Amino acid sequence: MRILLDKFSKSFGSTKVIEDMDLEVGSGEMLALLGPSGCGKSTTLFAVCGIHRPTSGRIMFGDRDVTHLPSQERNVGVVFQSYALYPHMTVEENIGFPLMVKRVASADIRKQVADIAALVHIEDLLGRRPAQLSGGQQQRVALARALIRRPDVLLLDEPLANLDAKLRLEMRSEIRRLQKETGITAILVTHDQVEAMSMCDRIAIMKSGEIIQIATPSQMYNDPRTSFVASFLGNPPISFLKGQAHQGAFVLGGSGLRLPLATLAGIPDGTALSLGVRPEHFGTAGGVPVEGKVVFAETQGRENLYDVVLPDGSVLRSIQPVRDDVKPGDSVRWNLDSASTFVFAEDGQRL
Amino acid sequence: MAEKPQISSNTTSANFSSLPVILLLGLFSLPLLVMYAYLFIDTISDTEAGSLIPNEFTLRHWSFLWETKAGKPNIWLVTLNTFIFASCITGVILTVSSMAGYVLSRLNVPARGFFLAGVMVLHAFPSVTLIIAIFIVLQWIGLYNSLIGVILVKAAVELPLGIWLMKGFYDTVPWEIEMAGTVDGASRFTVWRRLVLPQIKPAVMALGLFSFLTGWSEFIMPQVLAPGAKVQVLSVYLAGLIIDDNNFDFGTFKAVGVFYVVPVLILYVFFQKHLMNIYGGGTKG
């Protein structure tokens, strides 16, 4: 089912959290709301499930206006960050609770619980209580409880934040599998770019109550609209060089580094610019040599990560296949792939 | 996995002997033990004046159980009254404070701060100072000398504490449980009844026990507001024995005292774990 937020605003008292937000999630799509904490992504999610009332604007599920419906009547499934399982009930009672509230016959509930439990692979845990489950198992129970009502919309509020690294990887693909199998429209709230990129069809990146950009993960990675988006996606993160425009080229003050860039045609000389260079575009291929000194090296097994200080003091990161010949303190002259860099104006807008 | 040595209150730690402590505590508790022992011994024996050693066994002091004394109500009626009194107080306190506590903890009530402060003031207020006013009110509305009247008054006086305690316990229940309940389709009442209330069950148990014991031992209110023979409770009955100068019987007085305290002891034995909850604060999941 399609979800539409139309000029949605939410304020708490006099604090405006979100103003005039427009967002559309296609039917069967999984969308990530990505942003730093306090950007309003959870507020948006709670407005969609009906826990927060919007201050103004409309929320539509399909053709149905649900803006003023209480959450009981919205038919949404929510997985909370803390899972919010009911500690005094068994797993079976937990999953069956939404049906019990609807006064479904208990034989029916049993059957449906068994079905959904099989879907999330927790058939043999039905008699336990939440306290007797591991984090990943609790997560699966929470998913099953959210899915059992066959909701129109599945909302996930930082569902992986409380899991350890290995489980997180496992549940990431597990949640995506369930979403695809059930064909449900889903919104994932997260501050982790890896989760957003790996699990979702599209990402809406948010900053202080505004959506900065909505795009598919690869579009957003390769074509960020602002320096904020560029810095939020990618691990290790992008590095920025501060410089100026000069005759259609980016000039880094002090070091004499000069990068001719097609995007800079027509930009007046002396305009302050910021150049974003992803670590994979420095030190591997490319035509512009850059001199600097390695100050930090870290091996990640398959790849090495280097921090290189340029003569003017700015730092470029480089990630390359493992090599032993470079140590911290060494002077290097590595190539920079100028075609893959991003140029941003002083206000962070991409040029 | 190797157990690390840890300091725990349940196990005897090895670095000092507990024997001296036990001896010392035993010594200091001895007077209390002697008092309790004599409380009981005196009810089943007669002792000559000035002597400590009882000289004959008798059940005479317990005769109040099977024969009603002249001018005194039947002991079983009095016991029943006390039981009704304490149970009804418990019921009223549990019902009202479990709901009021939830409302104050979770719902958007106007003037919540004022209300909470007011409840606190009422709790701190010495209720004895109101007793004459309450007496007049009860007489006006015709509830003087009735169990209902004194139950309502006693429950009302105990309610502020109950409401505060319940509010405190509700505050510890995570909001997410309630959010999950509402998005699962449950009404706010169902959420309270099926999801939130079970989380604070230990607190409800504790408050219930506490209320029952308070009701069981209450003296001044029944004495003033319901002294009549038909509605007497045990504490009033007991007081009646000792102020009766004509038939002064210390043995019977002690026997009734023992009789009065036995249900409390039984409750303590079975429920002391729950009672500790109210002082420990917080639920154990």
Side-chain angles (χ1 to χ4, degrees), chain B residues 2 4 9 25 37 63 73 75 78 89-90 97 101 125 127 135 138 142 159 167 178 183 189 194 226 242 266:
Chain B
K4 277 187 185 170
S9 52
L25 282 177
S63 66
I75 186 71
V78 174
I89 286 171
T90 309
S97 46
F125 199 83
S127 52
F135 173 81
L138 285 188
L159 265 179
K167 185 208 168 273
E178 251 165 285
V183 298
F189 183 81
R194 305 297 301 264
I242 205 165
I266 293 174

Side-chain angles (χ1 to χ4, degrees), chain B residues 106-161:
Chain B
R106 288 301 157 92
L107 302 187
N108 233 339
V109 263
R112 181 213 312 262
F114 175 77
F115 198 87
L116 277 174
V119 168
M120 203 65 201
V121 170
L122 279 180
H123 174 51
F125 199 83
S127 52
V128 182
T129 54
L130 286 174
I131 203 140
I132 292 171
I134 293 171
F135 173 81
I136 294 170
V137 170
L138 285 188
Q139 194 132 44
W140 258 353
I141 57 177
L143 288 178
Y144 173 67
N145 233 341
S146 74
L147 269 180
I148 299 179
V150 74
I151 285 169
L152 287 178
V153 171
K154 178 64 184 163
V157 165
E158 290 299 319
L159 265 179
L161 174 71

Side-chain angles (χ1 to χ4, degrees), chain A residues 103-121:
Chain A
R103 300 187 191 286
V104 175
S106 57
D108 243 21
I109 296 184
R110 268 181 173 278
K111 204 187 143 296
Q112 291 193 40
V113 169
D115 288 349
I116 203 96
L119 186 70
V120 297
H121 307 317

Side-chain angles (χ1 to χ4, degrees), chain B residues 180-258:
Chain B
T182 44
V183 298
D184 279 348
S187 68
R188 206 60 197 264
F189 183 81
T190 312
V191 166
W192 170 72
R193 177 69 195 76
R194 305 297 301 264
L195 301 181
V196 180
L197 199 55
Q199 312 297 322
I200 60 157
K201 215 167 88 189
V204 174
M205 289 287 287
L207 180 63
L209 197 63
F210 185 78
S211 309
F212 189 88
L213 293 178
T214 327
W216 189 263
S217 56
E218 176 64 23
F219 167 63
I220 195 78
M221 291 203 182
Q223 167 77 358
V224 177
L225 305 174
K230 282 188 177 143
V231 290
Q232 228 172 58
V233 295
L234 275 169
S235 56
V236 178
Y237 182 91
L238 194 60
L241 283 178
I242 205 165
I243 55 171
D244 190 349
D245 287 336
N246 298 327
N247 312 297
F248 190 75
D249 183 350
F250 222 69
T252 304
F253 178 73
K254 283 179 179 174
V256 173
V258 172

